[in-house]
């Protein structure tokens, strides 16, 4: 259990030990603030299950201003990646394409083409229960945001993490 006085280490420990979620060090302060706000508002401790649910709702949800309807990645003969996707922004949906040295830089290029510039600062991945959990630290509109994604495919988890950061609240 954690309460408003629990530190970053305690929150990270419970997520790692009970749910396999190994938060990167720079992500911990922001999530700990969310935990503190939730426990202060509720006036009680959080269980490990409630802690994971807060993490899931904050970072792993598929809802947000920008939605990724479909996507594919292609490698050209010169080694460049092309990310082709259909993005939903609010009630508008459109097809976009981006290119880059890797699939995620190509995705960032496609997001920029859709009016959502993002710079991927760091990306961390680890396996959990046969899936990959990815954490992306991104600069979005001048603010640094964290996102997370979980999927059977490491690339899909990373794409979800970047999209989560785009849709997230600056921390």
């Amino acid at each position: 259990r954690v309460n408003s006085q629990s530190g970053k280490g305690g929150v990270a420990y419970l997520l790692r030990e009970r749910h396999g979620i190994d938060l990167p060090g720079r992500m911990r302060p922001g999530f700990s603030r969310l935990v503190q706000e939730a426990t202060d508002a509720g006036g009680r401790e959080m269980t490990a299950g409630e802690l994971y649910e807060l993490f899931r709702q904050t970072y792993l949800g598929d809802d947000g201003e920008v939605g990724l309807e479909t996507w594919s990645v292609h490698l050209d003969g010169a080694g460049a990646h092309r990310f082709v996707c259909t993005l939903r922004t609010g009630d508008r949906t459109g097809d976009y394409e981006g290119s880059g040295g890797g699939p995620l830089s190509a995705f960032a290029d496609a997001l920029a083409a859709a009016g959502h510039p993002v710079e991927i600062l760091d990306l961390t991945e680890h396996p959990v229960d046969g899936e990959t959990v990815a954490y992306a630290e991104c600069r979005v509109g001048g603010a640094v945001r964290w996102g997370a994604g979980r999927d059977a495919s490491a690339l899909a988890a990373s794409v979800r993490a970047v999209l989560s950061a785009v849709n997230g609240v600056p921390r």
Side-chain angles (χ1 to χ4, degrees):
R1 292 182 178 268
V2 295
N3 60 32
S4 64
Q5 302 305 308
S6 299
K8 303 179 290 268
V11 168
Y13 174 81
L14 276 177
L15 280 176
R16 184 178 58 249
E17 292 301 310
R18 300 285 176 91
H19 300 283
I21 302 299
D22 193 9
L23 295 179
R26 290 192 313 275
M27 187 179 190
R28 292 175 187 175
F31 186 64
S32 290
R33 278 191 297 277
L34 289 175
V35 171
Q36 183 176 17
E37 290 167 9
T39 55
D40 282 347
R44 63 180 190 81
E45 295 178 334
M46 287 182 111
T47 65
E50 290 168 328
L51 190 63
Y52 177 76
E53 185 59 24
L54 179 63
F55 173 81
R56 190 190 66 72
Q57 288 177 354
T58 303
Y59 297 108
L60 297 178
D62 285 333
D63 55 340
E65 179 188 350
V66 182
L68 186 59
E69 303 290 323
T70 62
W71 61 278
S72 61
V73 177
H74 309 275
L75 188 60
D76 71 16
H81 289 81
R82 200 176 58 149
F83 195 98
V84 179
C85 61
T86 302
L87 290 170
R88 175 195 38 79
T89 302
D91 59 355
R92 293 187 355 240
T93 301
D95 296 325
Y96 298 92
E97 185 176 316
S99 61
L104 292 180
S105 62
F107 179 41
D109 191 47
L111 284 165
H116 304 283
V118 58
E119 177 187 0
I120 302 167
L121 304 173
D122 193 21
L123 182 78
T124 304
E125 301 172 344
H126 66 83
V128 176
D129 299 330
E131 295 184 316
T132 298
V133 177
Y135 311 91
E137 181 182 25
C138 299
R139 186 177 326 281
V140 181
V144 174
R145 299 181 185 180
W146 280 94
R150 185 173 185 158
D151 200 280
S153 156
L155 177 57
S158 296
V159 166
R160 288 175 181 260
V162 170
L163 189 61
S164 171
V166 168
N167 284 320
V169 177
R171 291 276 170 214

